[in-house]
Amino acid sequence: MPRGKIPRQPSKAGRQDRVSRPITKPSGAPSKPSVGLGGRTRPVASKKPVAPLKPAVALSGKAKSSGTTKGYNPIAAERISEILKRLDERYPNVTCALHHNSAWELLVATILSAQCTDARVNMVTPVLFEKYPTPEAFAALRPEDLEDDIRSTGFFRNKAKSLVGAARKIVNDFGGEVPRTMDELLTIPGVARKTANVVLGTWYKIADGIVVDTHVLRISRRLELTKNEDPQKIEQDLMQVIPRTRWIDFSHQVIHHGRALCIARKPKCAECPLENICHAADKTWSTVDIHKNAKP
């Protein structure tokens, strides 16, 4: 057999045959239990009571994350009334931010505003309407004739096709006048419910629906007025809880609120007039419970 240590064979009794005994300490000295490990010993840690974990503190130190509070109804009439009251106080007499002097100019500006800021659209439209002042002037163009004029608004090729198509439809089917019903507006190229609601509400003062743009979508979900993500379904949800007499103003106020305070990233919750009745999951500061499902 090669030189070296010969490994010990397991004991037939089922245990190691050389297990150390606890070290004897002088009387009166505190002793620690030990366990034999092949001739060596190690102290056994004494078990201490574990303090209970403290609940996590969210945001400002006053709010806790939770599901929806038991018995809480986000679309209760009293809460809706309070939301509308505070919006009135913060944004009185607001209207559409797109500059226009006619239903046609508003229609054009709204089509251009898709995926573009109102400020940019307001820079483009004065030059555009000076060159082409009427629907008839637009109808006589080819889409490519418009592209350079509206390039800075983005998606300019599709928008140019929509504007020329809308002008031709209005000239040929509606005598050059922008129609004032939802069904007729939806037959115009480039016009969906959002654009139709802008024209009907802002120019004709007809409350046929609620404008659901990116701001209205985000804030309606934060305020738990809807759980849907599709704009058309969100509009239907809002129409069920917002009084019809407030549909037009509500849209304008929420859009202004979305630009000023309730922005997409890092909303300015500490300045918000709705803060203590808003439980949004992505609040940056809160004095109320956070509802994890209240998010854009």
Side-chain angles (χ1 to χ4, degrees), residues 14-282:
R15 62 180 182 271
Q16 299 291 356
D17 51 332
R18 274 195 279 177
V19 178
S20 65
R21 298 181 181 277
I23 299 173
T24 303
K25 291 186 177 291
S27 61
S31 61
K32 294 183 180 180
S34 60
V35 177
L37 296 174
R40 293 175 298 168
T41 62
R42 67 173 177 84
V44 177
S46 60
K47 293 185 178 180
K48 296 181 180 179
V50 179
L53 293 175
K54 295 181 179 180
V57 178
L59 304 177
S60 67
K62 299 181 181 180
K64 293 186 296 182
S65 180
S66 66
T68 303
T69 306
K70 186 177 181 180
Y72 167 74
N73 181 8
I75 57 173
E78 297 81 5
R79 183 171 184 264
I80 298 298
S81 178
E82 186 63 23
I83 289 172
L84 296 177
K85 175 187 173 184
R86 297 187 190 189
L87 288 174
D88 280 343
E89 292 171 350
R90 186 65 181 246
Y91 308 102
N93 305 316
V94 295
T95 188
C96 182
L98 295 169
H99 299 167
H100 60 280
N101 295 302
S102 67
W104 167 249
E105 289 188 0
L106 179 56
L107 180 65
V108 171
T110 307
I111 291 174
L112 291 176
S113 70
Q115 304 296 316
C116 181
T117 65
D118 289 352
R120 169 57 57 183
V121 174
N122 290 336
M123 294 173 62
V124 170
T125 50
V127 177
L128 191 64
F129 295 141
E130 185 176 355
K131 291 178 67 174
Y132 314 109
T134 64
E136 289 79 7
F138 276 82
L141 299 173
R142 299 172 302 167
E144 50 268 32
D145 296 332
L146 276 178
E147 290 180 359
D148 286 342
D149 294 312
I150 64 173
R151 186 181 297 271
S152 64
T153 67
F155 302 97
F156 58 91
R157 291 190 178 89
N158 287 336
K159 290 179 180 180
K161 292 177 182 177
S162 294
L163 292 177
V164 172
R168 291 174 180 174
K169 178 72 175 180
I170 289 171
V171 169
N172 295 332
D173 293 2
F174 302 109
E177 296 292 329
V178 177
R180 58 179 64 214
T181 69
M182 178 65 71
D183 289 341
E184 290 175 323
L185 282 167
L186 292 179
T187 66
I188 297 174
V191 176
R193 283 195 63 91
K194 171 197 162 185
T195 301
N197 279 324
V198 170
V199 174
L200 290 175
T202 302
W203 186 258
Y204 291 123
K205 307 303 179 187
I206 298 173
D208 203 305
I210 295 177
V211 176
V212 178
D213 72 341
T214 181
H215 301 294
V216 176
L217 185 153
R218 178 177 68 255
I219 295 171
S220 296
R221 286 177 55 82
R222 279 176 172 164
L223 289 175
E224 299 173 274
L225 303 181
T226 181
K227 294 181 180 179
N228 284 303
E229 298 180 1
D230 178 72
Q232 292 193 23
K233 292 181 179 178
I234 291 174
E235 182 186 2
Q236 294 303 313
D237 289 342
L238 294 176
M239 290 166 67
Q240 296 296 318
V241 299
I242 305 297
R244 188 174 190 131
T245 55
R246 297 300 310 273
W247 288 358
I248 298 172
D249 287 344
F250 175 79
S251 300
H252 293 318
Q253 289 170 336
V254 173
I255 291 170
H256 277 73
H257 188 56
R259 293 195 184 107
L261 298 176
C262 199
I263 56 181
R265 295 184 180 181
K266 296 185 178 180
K268 303 175 183 179
C269 301
E271 305 172 40
C272 179
L274 305 176
E275 189 280 319
N276 66 345
I277 55 175
C278 173
H279 302 270
D282 59 341

